[in-house]
């Protein structure tokens, strides 16, 4: 799925573009626990900034992580410490002087029963680029139409569990990724959680902003009470998932509700019943409001124009949330390019204006890309 970002404010205005990759080196284990260890220089406009992250297995919250630096033939503490989240993930940053030679780093992991060190990583800490450098921009508007460029990712960008190379993605011009983080269906939700743990820290360490999305399956009911209860339950699922990775950071974009299918009954893999516009609208309003109330940040709604027109009522409540709009077949590099329009007229929904434009903030303009260019395993997507 491709997207792109048109403006960059505190609430972040985007437009996304391709697909991506994370880094999982071998674990180094002593005893019952083990931890992966990653070290990367994160783009910065100040002193050189290093990011360290990993995952302690089995997942244990509150484990102390201490970053060590090799000085001569000894390993000495850097003073940089953190603790693991409920999923066993951890991430920490520190500033260092630039040097011309390789510097070794590793993590000391201190659990309730034992302590051990991870495998080490070597980095050459480079001087930071400055805003005057024409080749440097943390928030580069290098996407089509001079927009901020990004992508959405899920298990489909991890064939055979291969990681995404987010550093390569950053060098190719990407500046954000939207990660599938939760799903109504249990099996798909487990996969979403697995790759969220792999991707979020690795993407942020490479300098990318990260957002999240929840794929929704609607309940087969027209009961207002049941619809509200189900929407709140699925919203809470997303809230818990966000909490499990430590909540929002300064590099996180808001959660998104992926609402693109309102089939509620299948027979032989064919849809035999769709939920009503009234039910869909109430459900979406409830999910969005619940996540907003619990996180303090307005979530996106992701969908495509025909679905917004066909399956949802026009609603001032929905309109108050930012729209991530999927519309393919339009060249986003053209100045006149505008998603949400038909051959004649436009799709009419909550985000349609009186002059037939859509109030989108993320425009997904393609479902594929040249995978190797952006660090994604595979040949095309």
């Amino acid at each position: 799925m491709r997207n792109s970002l048109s403006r960059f404010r505190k609430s972040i205005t985007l437009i996304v573009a391709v697909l991506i990759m994370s880094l999982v080196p071998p674990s180094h284990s002593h005893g019952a626990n083990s931890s992966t260890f990653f070290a990367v220089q994160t783009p910065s406009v100040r002193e050189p900034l290093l990011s360290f992250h990993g995952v302690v297995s089995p997942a244990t919250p509150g484990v102390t992580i201490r970053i060590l630096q090799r000085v001569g033939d000894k390993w000495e503490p850097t003073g940089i410490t953190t603790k693991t989240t409920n999923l066993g993930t951890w991430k920490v940053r520190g500033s260092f002087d630039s040097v011309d030679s390789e510097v070794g780093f590793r993590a000391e992991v201190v659990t309730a029963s034992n302590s051990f060190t991870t495998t080490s990583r070597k980095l050459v800490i480079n001087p930071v680029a400055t805003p005057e450098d024409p080749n440097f921009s943390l928030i580069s508007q290098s996407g089509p139409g001079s927009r901020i460029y990004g992508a959405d990712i899920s298990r489909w960008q991890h064939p055979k569990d291969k990681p995404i190379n987010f550093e390569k993605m950053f060098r190719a011009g990407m500046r954000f990724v939207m990660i599938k983080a939760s799903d109504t269906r249990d099996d798909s939700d487990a996969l979403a959680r697995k790759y969220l743990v792999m991707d979020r820290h690795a993407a942020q360490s490479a300098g990318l902003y990260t957002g999240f999305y929840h794929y929704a399956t609607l309940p087969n009911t027209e009961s207002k009470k049941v619809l509200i209860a189900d929407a709140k339950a699925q919203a809470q699922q997303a809230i818990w998932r966000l909490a499990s990775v430590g909540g929002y950071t300064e590099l996180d974009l808001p959660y998104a509700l992926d609402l693109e299918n309102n089939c509620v009954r299948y027979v032989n893999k064919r849809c035999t019943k769709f939920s009503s516009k009234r039910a869909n609208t109430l459900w979406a309003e409830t999910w969005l409001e619940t996540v907003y109330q619990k996180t303090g940040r307005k979530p996106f709604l992701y969908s495509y124009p025909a679905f917004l027109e066909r399956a949802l009522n026009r609603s001032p409540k929905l309109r108050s949330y930012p729209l991530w709009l999927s519309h393919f077949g339009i060249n986003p590099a053209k100045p006149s390019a505008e998603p949400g329009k038909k051959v004649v007229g436009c799709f009419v929904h909550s985000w349609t204006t009186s002059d037939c434009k859509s109030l989108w903030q993320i425009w997904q303009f393609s479902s594929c890309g040249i995978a190797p260019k952006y660090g994604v395993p595979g040949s095309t997507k």
Side-chain angles (χ1 to χ4, degrees):
M1 293 161 105
R2 289 190 172 195
N3 313 254
S4 212
L5 188 55
S6 63
R7 297 176 298 279
F8 192 82
R9 301 185 291 232
K10 200 158 187 177
S11 62
I12 310 285
T13 309
L14 327 157
I15 182 188
V16 185
V18 199
L19 316 166
I20 347 185
M21 156 177 176
S22 128
L23 308 161
V24 183
S27 316
H28 188 68
S29 175
H30 292 263
N33 293 89
S34 63
S35 178
T36 55
F37 178 69
F38 307 85
V40 62
Q41 183 171 345
T42 299
S44 170
V45 294
R46 297 180 295 276
E47 63 276 8
L49 182 66
L50 302 190
S51 294
F52 308 95
H53 64 98
V55 182
V56 171
S57 300
T60 309
V63 170
T64 298
I65 307 294
R66 298 173 181 151
I67 304 301
L68 307 178
Q69 178 179 347
R70 190 174 184 87
V71 179
D73 59 354
K74 296 181 180 180
W75 287 94
E76 297 184 357
T78 62
I80 300 171
T81 64
T82 189
K83 291 185 181 295
T84 57
T85 68
N86 289 338
L87 293 181
T89 63
W90 60 269
K91 179 173 179 288
V92 68
R93 290 177 168 180
S95 297
F96 294 81
D97 294 331
S98 63
V99 296
D100 294 327
S101 58
E102 286 187 329
V103 180
F105 294 96
R106 69 184 184 186
E108 181 184 18
V109 183
V110 183
T111 71
S113 58
N114 70 327
S115 65
F116 60 92
T117 56
T118 65
T119 52
S120 62
R121 299 289 164 189
K122 292 182 179 180
L123 289 176
V124 175
I125 308 175
N126 299 307
V128 300
T130 66
E132 290 75 28
D133 186 340
N135 297 317
F136 177 80
S137 177
L138 285 178
I139 307 299
S140 171
Q141 294 182 319
S142 59
S146 298
R147 299 181 175 100
I148 296 173
Y149 204 35
D152 76 294
I153 56 174
S154 66
R155 67 187 179 103
W156 301 110
Q157 281 68 63
H158 291 280
K160 298 181 180 179
D161 262 0
K162 292 181 179 179
I164 296 170
N165 186 337
F166 290 105
E167 294 175 73
K168 188 173 184 179
M169 179 177 284
F170 185 93
R171 293 194 299 270
M174 291 284 182
R175 289 299 179 266
F176 71 97
V177 288
M178 301 296 285
I179 305 170
K180 183 175 182 181
S182 52
D183 193 299
T184 312
R185 303 157 296 180
D186 290 344
D187 54 345
S188 296
D189 186 65
L191 286 170
R193 169 176 163 162
K194 172 183 176 180
Y195 292 110
L196 170 65
V197 170
M198 287 179 64
D199 291 338
R200 187 209 192 193
H201 286 335
Q204 290 189 357
S205 294
L208 294 160
Y209 286 80
T210 58
F212 317 92
Y213 69 93
H214 172 81
Y215 183 87
T217 301
L218 299 179
N220 184 5
T221 181
E222 291 295 317
S223 164
K224 181 178 178 179
K225 181 178 180 180
V226 175
L227 286 165
I228 291 175
D230 184 86
K232 287 184 175 181
Q234 291 199 43
Q236 190 62 54
Q237 180 185 1
I239 293 162
W240 284 334
R241 185 56 45 81
L242 179 62
S244 73
V245 293
Y248 285 129
T249 73
E250 74 280 2
L251 286 179
D252 281 322
L253 307 177
Y255 227 107
L257 169 61
D258 183 344
L259 185 58
E260 54 184 293
N261 180 16
N262 65 320
C263 181
V264 293
R265 184 168 63 207
Y266 290 90
V267 175
N268 296 325
K269 297 183 179 181
R270 296 185 62 181
C271 186
T272 60
K273 183 182 178 183
F274 293 93
S275 54
S276 68
K277 294 178 75 169
R278 182 196 70 84
N280 302 335
T281 304
L282 174 62
W283 193 97
E285 290 173 346
T286 304
W287 191 99
L288 294 165
E289 182 179 10
T290 303
V291 171
Y292 180 33
Q293 288 178 344
K294 295 293 182 67
T295 66
R297 300 183 69 179
K298 282 194 170 184
F300 286 96
L301 186 137
Y302 167 85
S303 198
Y304 58 95
F307 184 89
L308 295 174
E309 180 181 70
R310 167 180 54 81
L312 295 170
N313 289 324
R314 298 195 76 183
S315 161
K317 286 185 178 181
L318 290 182
R319 187 187 179 97
S320 70
Y321 293 93
L323 176 64
W324 174 4
L325 187 63
S326 173
H327 196 171
F328 305 157
I330 302 172
N331 184 354
K334 290 184 177 180
S336 59
E338 182 69 32
K341 292 186 176 181
K342 303 177 182 178
V343 176
V344 177
C346 58
F347 293 92
V348 178
H349 49 74
S350 297
W351 292 267
T352 305
T353 64
S354 59
D355 59 352
C356 212
K357 293 183 178 180
S358 297
L359 298 174
W360 57 272
Q361 290 186 292
I362 303 179
W363 171 17
Q364 182 190 348
F365 61 85
S366 177
S367 62
C368 60
I370 304 171
K373 178 180 178 180
Y374 299 97
V376 177
S379 56
T380 53
K381 295 184 179 182

